[in-house]
C-alpha cells in the first residue's frame, strides 16, 4: 500500500514533516491498542523515510535528525581506512595534538617490546597458570580503552604470534584472554585480509570450537546456602524412565513379598548348606527332636543378619538402590528428593528398621497397615521405598495419552 | 487507585508513583529510596528484605542472598536456612516489600505496577518477573525495558528531541538501546546487551585476582570471610580515585593489598572491552554511525566507574551525560510509564514503540545434514518493532506424517541446537504425501516482550494456540552435555578438516551478525558447502572451498564496522 496514503501526507522529502505526520497518527493508532494498524503505520513511516532519503541523494544536511543515514558511502570509506592502523584516527582521542600521539607511540612500543620479550623467553610455551597472568600487564595500560590504540596493538601482537607460529602457538586459555582484549575473533574479516587467511585461521582455530562458559549464572550470586539446579523433567517422553513425575510408594504386601524373596535367596545360598551340615551332624546325636528350633536359630542367626548387611550395602551405595528381592519387584530406596541414599543415611534407615521392630513389632505392624506404603521406619529415617516399576508404567501411560 | 513504577534491580530496587507535579519516589521503611535487593531469614525464621538483610550477608550468609536476579528464569534454587527458593520467589519478596512501602506511603492499597526489566532479558526471564509480581500480589500492567525507561525519564526531563544511546550498566546486566525522541514519540531503534555483565562482575574479578595472587582457593574461605571480602572490594571500587591500602584477613592470615589504578585497570579492562560488543552491535543493527548519536546517556550505578566513562568518551568522542541519578533514573522512567498508563494528570501524551531484542523462530528439518540438528528458521527478526505478528508456512517433511511439532526458539545461530528453546507445540495433521499438508505458524510478540504462538492446519483449519509456557531453566545440563558430546563426536568427519571448520565457523559468525536477506544468503551458502562436504569428494570440496571463501570474503568486505 502507498505509504503516503497511510501517513495522510503528500509525497515529500522533508523528514521532519514525515515524523510529524507519523507522530500525529500514532496518538490514535497506539501500538498496545491496535497492533495491526500500528504495524502498517510503522511500515509506511519507514518506507516514507527511506523514500525521502533516496530523494535527497547525497545531501548531507538532513543527517542529524535522520534515523536512517545512508551507509554505503560511509561504510566504504571505513573499509578503506581500516586496514591502515597507524593513520587511523577514529574515534578522535580526547586531544589530538602531537603529545598525545607521541605518548601513544611510546606506550605502544613499550608494550610491544614486552610482548616480544615474553614470546622470546618462551612464556607462551610454558605450561601452568602463569601463562595468562604473564600477559595481564597489557590490560593495565589505560591506552587499551582507546580503540585505535587497542586495534593497533592487537594487530602487531597478532603478527608477532604469526611470525612464531611454528615454534610457539599460544594455547587456548591465553588465546581466550587475548581475544577478550583485542577481539580478534570479531575483527577476523579485516584482519585476515591483511595477515593472510590461512595462517590466521590456523592460529585462531581454538576460539571457534570452544563452547561458551556455563558458569555465568552462578557467578556473582552472593550468600545463600547452596544453589540447586532443579532436575528438569523430561517432557518429550523419549526417556520416560529418567524421572517419573509422581512416584508411588510401595504397599505392605509387596514389601513383605520382597523381604521373603530375599530370605529365600539368602536361605538357599548361605543358610541352607549350613543347615544341612548342622542337620546331618545333629541327626547323628539327637534325632528329630528340635528341628524347629534349629531352623529358627539359623534364621535369626544367619538369614536375618545377612539380610540386614545386604540391605545396608545394596540399598545405600549400590546401583540398584535395592536388595535383590526388591529389585525383582521393581522397588527402589531413595531419600525424600528421590535421590539415592548415602551409605550413612541408609545405615540409619536399617538401624531404625531393626530398633522399631525389635521393640514394638506388633504395634508397628498394625500402624504400618494404615500408612499407605510410607511406613514408620521410612518416616523416622526420612527415606522412601518407591515402586519404581509402577511409577514408570503410569508415567509412560500419561505420556502416551 | 495508583499504578506504581518499579525498578527491580540486581543490586538495588526502587519504586515511585506519578503525582500531578511529577514523579515521586517512594521511601522505604528506613526512609531511603533505594532498597537493596537482598533477601534473608532472621533468627526466628522470618523474611527480611533490604538494607537489614544486606548487613546480615556477612555473618548470616547461609540465610541471606543477594544478586539473585541473574538466576531469573532458570531452574536454580537457593537455600536459605532449610528452605529452597527460586529467584522468582526471592524477587517476589522484594516486590512485596516495595508494595508494602508504597501502601504505607500512599495510604491506599496498591495492586498494579509497571516493572522494568533489562532490555536483553529473554522470554523466560520476563515470564519469571511477571510471575514474581503475581506472587507478590501485583498485577503487571507493563514490563518496560530498563534503557527505555531511562530514556523516558531523560526525554521528559529535558524535553530534548533527538537520538539517544542509552548505556545501562547495572549490578548484573548491561543493556544498550538506541532511541529516538520526537514529537511525543519515543521510538526504540535497536537494543542489545549482555545479561552477565555488571558491577558485580567487577567485584568478583577483583576478589578472584586477590585470591589467585595469594594462592588461596576460594572454597577454603568461610562464608563470612568471603562476604567481608566482597564488602571491602565493593568499598574499594567506589573509592577508586584515592589510593587505598586494604587489610585483608584471609584464613587467619593478614594481608595488605594496595588498590592501585594499574591493578584495577588490569581487572576491569577485559570486562570493559566486553561491554563494547553490544554497543557496536546496536549501532550496526540500526545502521548508524557513532557520530550520528545526539546524546549518550549513562544509566545504572556501575556507570560511575571512571574507566567505563572514559571508554565511552573515547568511543563517541564526547562526554556522556548523566544529569539524573543513575541509581534511580530507571525507577523514574517506570513511574512515568505507569503515569501514562493511568493517563496521569500533568503528563503529556507520549507513545512508546519498542523492539524485540532477540530473533525468534522455529526449527526446520535439516535435510542437508541431519546430524547437525534442525535449522533455525527466523520468524521475527531481532530489533523488529513490536507488537508484531508474523506468519510462516511450514509443510510436512515425510510421507504419511500425522504430527508436526513446532518448536519455538530464540537466538541468533543458524542451528537450533545453539539457540534457546522456549517451548514447543504438537499439532495433528491429516495423513498425506510429503509436503502436501502444511501449517501456518504465527508468532505474536507483544509490548511486554511476551510471545504467543498460533498454529493453523491449512487443510482442516484447526487452530492451536499457546502462550509460551516454559520449562524452567532453559537448557538442562544433560542437554548441554549432549550437544557438546555431539559436537565432539563430529570431529572425525571430513567436514572437520581444520580449514573447512574454520570456514564454517566464520560463516556462522557472519550469520549471527547479519540480518534479513544477507542472513539468508549466508545460510544458503553454508547449506551448499555442507552438502558438498558430505559427498566427500576431495576435488569437489576444494572447489567449493574456494567459492565459499570468496563469497564470504565478499560479504565481509561489505560489512563496515
Amino acid at each position: 500500500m502507498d505509504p503516503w496514503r497511510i501517513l495522510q501526507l503528500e509525497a515529500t522529502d522533508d523528514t521532519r514533516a514525515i515524523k510529524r505526520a507519523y507522530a500525529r497518527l500514532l496518538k490514535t493508532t497506539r501500538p498496545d491498542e491496535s497492533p495491526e494498524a500500528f504495524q502498517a503505520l510503522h511500515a509506511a513511516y519507514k518506507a516514507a523515510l527511506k523514500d525521502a532519503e533516496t530523494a535527497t541523494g547525497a545531501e548531507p544536511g538532513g543527517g542529524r535528525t535522520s534515523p536512517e543515514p545512508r551507509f554505503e558511502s560511509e561504510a566504504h570509506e571505513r573499509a578503506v581506512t581500516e586496514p591502515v592502523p597507524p593513520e587511523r584516527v577514529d574515534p578522535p582521542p580526547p586531544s589530538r595534538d602531537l603529545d598525545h600521539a607521541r605518548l601513544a607511540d611510546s606506550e605502544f612500543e613499550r608494550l610491544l617490546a614486552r610482548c616480544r620479550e615474553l614470546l622470546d623467553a618462551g612464556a607462551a610455551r610454558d605450561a601452568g597458570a602463569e601463562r595468562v597472568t604473564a600477559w595481564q600487564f597489557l590490560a593495565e595500560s589505560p591506552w587499551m580503552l582507546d580503540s585505535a590504540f587497542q586495534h593497533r596493538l592487537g594487530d602487531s601482537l597478532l603478527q608477532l604470534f604469526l611470525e612464531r607460529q611454528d615454534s610457539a602457538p599460544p594455547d587456548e586459555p591465553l588465546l581466550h584472554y587475548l581475544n577478550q582484549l583485542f577481539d580478534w575473533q570479531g575483527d577476523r574479516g579485516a584482519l585476515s585480509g591483511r595477515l593472510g587467511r590461512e595462517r590466521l585461521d590456523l592460529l585462531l582455530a581454538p576460539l571457534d570450537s570452544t563452547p561458551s562458559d556455563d558458569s555465568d549464572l552462578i557467578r556473582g550470586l552472593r550468600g545463600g546456602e547452596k544453589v540447586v539446579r532443579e532436575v528438569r523433567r523430561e517432557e518429550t517422553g523419549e526417556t520416560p524412565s529418567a524421572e517419573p513425575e509422581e512416584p508411588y510408594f510401595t504397599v505392605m504386601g509387596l514389601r513383605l513379598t520382597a523381604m521373603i524373596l530375599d530370605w529365600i535367596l539368602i536361605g538357599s545360598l548361605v543358610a541352607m548348606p549350613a543347615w544341612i551340615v548342622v542337620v546331618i551332624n545333629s541327626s547323628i546325636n539327637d534325632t528329630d527332636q528340635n528341628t524347629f528350633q534349629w531352623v529358627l536359630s539359623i534364621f535369626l542367626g544367619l538369614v536375618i543378619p545377612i539380610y540386614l548387611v545386604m540391605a545396608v550395602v545394596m540399598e545405600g551405595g549400590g546401583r540398584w538402590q535395592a536388595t535383590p528381592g526388591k529389585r525383582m519387584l521393581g522397588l527402589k530406596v531413595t531419600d525424600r528428593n528421590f535421590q539415592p541414599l548415602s551409605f550413612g543415611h541408609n545405615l540409619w534407615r536399617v538401624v531404625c528398621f531393626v530398633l522399631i521392630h525389635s521393640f514394638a513389632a506388633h504395634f508397628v505392624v498394625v500402624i504400618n497397615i494404615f500408612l499407605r506404603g510410607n511406613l514408620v521406619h521410612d518416616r523416622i529415617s526420612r527415606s522412601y521405598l518407591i515402586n519404581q516399576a509402577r511409577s514408570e508404567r503410569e508415567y509412560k501411560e500419561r505420556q502416551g495419552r | 487507585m495508583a499504578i506504581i513504577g518499579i525498578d527491580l534491580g540486581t543490586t538495588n530496587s526502587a519504586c515511585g508513583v506519578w503525582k500531578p507535579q511529577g514523579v515521586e519516589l517512594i521511601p522505604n521503611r528506613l526512609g531511603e529510596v533505594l532498597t537493596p535487593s537482598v533477601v534473608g531469614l532472621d533468627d526466628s525464621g522470618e523474611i527480611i528484605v533490604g538494607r537489614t538483610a544486606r548487613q546480615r550477608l556477612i555473618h548470616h550468609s547461609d540465610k541471606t542472598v543477594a544478586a539473585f536476579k541473574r538466576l531469573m528464569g532458570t531452574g536454580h534454587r537457593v537455600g536459605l536456612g532449610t528452605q529452597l527458593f527460586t529467584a522468582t520467589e526471592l524477587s517476589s519478596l522484594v516486590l512485596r516489600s516495595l508494595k508494602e512501602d508504597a501502601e504505607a506511603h500512599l495510604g491506599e492499597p496498591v495492586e498494579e505496577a509497571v516493572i522494568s526489566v533489562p532490555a536483553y532479558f529473554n522470554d523466560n526471564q520476563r515470564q519469571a518477573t511477571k510471575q514474581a509480581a503475581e506472587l507478590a500480589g501485583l498485577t503487571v500492567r507493563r514490563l518496560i525495558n530498563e534503557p527505555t525507561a531511562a530514556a523516558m525519564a531523560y526525554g521528559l526531563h529535558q524535553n530534548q528531541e533527538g537520538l539517544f544511546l542509552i548505556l545501562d550498566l547495572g549490578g548484573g546486566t548491561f543493556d544498550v538501546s538506541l532511541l529516538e525522541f520526537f514529537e511525543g514519540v519515543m521510538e526504540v531503534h535497536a537494543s542489545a546487551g549482555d545479561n552477565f555483565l555488571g558491577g558485580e562482575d567487577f567485584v568478583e574479578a577483583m576478589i578472584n585476582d586477590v585470591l589467585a595472587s595469594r594462592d588461596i582457593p576460594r572454597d577454603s574461605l568461610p562464608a563470612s570471610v568471603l562476604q567481608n571480602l566482597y564488602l571491602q572490594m565493593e568499598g574499594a571500587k567506589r573509592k577508586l580515585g584515592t589510593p587505598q591500602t586494604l587489610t585483608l584477613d584471609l584464613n587467619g592470615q593478614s594481608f595488605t593489598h594496595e588498590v592501585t589504578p594499574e591493578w584495577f585497570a588490569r581487572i576491569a579492562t577485559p570486562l570493559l572491552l566486553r561491554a563494547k560488543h553490544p554497543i557496536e552491535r546496536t549501532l550496526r543493527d540500526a545502521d548508524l554511525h557513532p557520530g550520528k548519536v545526539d546524546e549518550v546517556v549513562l544509566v545504572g550505578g556501575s556507570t560511575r566507574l571512571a574507566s567505563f566513562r572514559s571508554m565511552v568518551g573515547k568511543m563517541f568522542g564526547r562526554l556522556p551525560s548523566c544529569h539524573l541519578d543513575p541509581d534511580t533514573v530507571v525507577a523514574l522512567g517506570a513511574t512515568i510509564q505507569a503515569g501514562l498508563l493511568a493517563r496521569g494528570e500533568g503528563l503529556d501524551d507520549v507513545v512508546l514503540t519498542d523492539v524485540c531484542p532477540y530473533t525468534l523462530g522455529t526449527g526446520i528439518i535439516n535435510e542437508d545434514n541431519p546430524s547437525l540438528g534442525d535449522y533455525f528458521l527466523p520468524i521475527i527478526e531481532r530489533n523488529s518493532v513490536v507488537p508484531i505478528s508474523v506468519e510462516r508456512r511450514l509443510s510436512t517433511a515425510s510421507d504419511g506424517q500425522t504430527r508436526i511439532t513446532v518448536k519455538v526458539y530464540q537466538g541468533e545461530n543458524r542451528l537450533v541446537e545453539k539457540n534457546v528453546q522456549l517451548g514447543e507445540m504438537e499439532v495433528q495433521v491429516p495423513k498425506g504425501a510429503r509436503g502436501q499438508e502444511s501449517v501456518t505458524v504465527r508468532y505474536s510478540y507483544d509490548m511486554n516482550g511476551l510471545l504467543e504462538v498460533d498454529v493453523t492446519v491449512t487443510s482442516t483449519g484447526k487452530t492451536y494456540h499457546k502462550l509460551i509456557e516454559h520449562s524452567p531453566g532453559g537448557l538442562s545440563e544433560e542437554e548441554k552435555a549432549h550437544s557438546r558430546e555431539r559436537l565432539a563426536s563430529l570431529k572425525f568427519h571430513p567436514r572437520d578438516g581444520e580449514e573447512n571448520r574454520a570456514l564454517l565457523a566464520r560463516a556462522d559468525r557472519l550469520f549471527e551478525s547479519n540480518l534479513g536477506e544477507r542472513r539468508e544468503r549466508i545460510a544458503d551458502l553454508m547449506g551448499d558447502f555442507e552438502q558438498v562436504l558430505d559427498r566427500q569428494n576431495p576435488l569437489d570440496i576444494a572447489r567449493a572451498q574456494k567459492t565459499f571463501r570468496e563469497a564470504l570474503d565478499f560479504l565481509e568486505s561489505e560489512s563496515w564496522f
Side-chain angles (χ1 to χ4, degrees), chain A residues 40-317:
Chain A
L41 176 65
H42 187 262
Y45 165 62
K46 286 283 168 191
L49 277 183
K50 208 168 204 146
D51 275 7
E53 261 151 39
T54 5
T56 38
E59 198 261 307
R64 206 196 76 89
T65 47
S66 146
E68 295 215 326
R70 289 151 289 99
F71 248 146
E72 298 312 319
S73 59
E74 230 164 51
H76 197 67
E77 267 168 40
R78 283 181 63 96
V80 173
T81 47
E82 205 136 33
V84 201
E87 271 92 33
R88 224 165 52 154
V89 287
D90 80 277
S95 68
R96 247 179 290 180
D97 52 34
L98 270 174
D99 273 358
H100 181 88
R102 220 177 2 245
L103 278 174
D105 280 347
S106 74
E107 177 78 356
F108 175 78
E109 291 303 333
R110 185 180 75 82
L111 291 179
L112 199 63
R114 206 164 153 192
C115 291
R116 198 172 285 130
E117 225 170 83
L118 263 177
L119 278 175
D120 290 341
R125 249 170 312 176
D126 280 354
E130 74 272 24
R131 267 181 265 106
V132 171
T133 41
W135 291 86
Q136 278 181 343
F137 70 90
L138 285 171
E140 282 175 26
S141 167
W143 287 89
M144 278 296 292
L145 295 179
D146 185 308
S147 291
F149 182 88
Q150 176 221 14
H151 273 114
R152 184 175 161 202
L153 187 62
D155 277 12
S156 307
L157 182 57
L158 200 57
Q159 246 155 4
L160 282 186
F161 272 116
L162 286 173
E163 282 163 19
R164 291 164 172 75
Q165 201 165 1
D166 304 323
S167 56
D171 55 8
E172 221 175 279
L174 177 57
L175 207 55
H176 271 281
Y177 178 73
L178 293 175
N179 185 51
Q180 232 183 338
L181 292 184
F182 298 112
D183 194 24
W184 289 332
Q185 184 77 314
D187 225 14
R188 211 144 137 186
L191 284 173
S192 38
R194 246 169 299 150
L195 303 172
R197 168 139 299 141
E198 277 74 25
R199 291 196 307 160
L200 194 69
D201 282 350
L202 204 62
L203 183 71
L204 300 184
L207 295 176
D208 294 330
S209 52
T210 324
S212 61
D213 193 8
D214 303 333
S215 61
D216 274 350
L217 269 180
I218 322 211
R219 199 186 58 218
L221 182 85
R222 297 177 49 190
E225 212 170 30
K226 54 185 169 175
V227 174
V228 186
R229 194 178 172 111
E230 193 176 84
V231 182
R232 187 156 112 163
R233 314 261 187 246
E234 277 297 334
E235 290 154 314
T236 48
E238 282 160 18
T239 48
S241 61
E243 197 69 42
E245 247 164 333
E246 289 166 28
Y248 287 94
F249 294 132
T250 312
V251 293
M252 281 282 276
L254 217 52
R255 282 174 175 243
L256 287 174
T257 319
M259 201 155 72
I260 290 165
L261 276 174
D262 278 327
W263 289 349
I264 293 172
L265 190 76
I266 299 166
S268 53
L269 284 181
V270 188
M272 203 76 95
W275 183 67
I276 290 167
V277 170
V278 173
V279 166
I280 291 169
N281 283 346
S282 64
S283 65
I284 301 165
N285 298 341
D286 61 85
T287 44
D288 54 356
Q289 196 198 4
N290 267 335
T291 321
F292 175 70
Q293 266 182 4
W294 273 114
V295 174
L296 191 69
S297 64
I298 281 171
F299 180 71
L300 289 178
L302 266 175
V303 175
I304 294 283
I306 291 176
Y307 171 71
L308 292 177
V309 169
M310 202 161 77
V312 169
V313 173
M314 301 185 81
E315 288 177 357

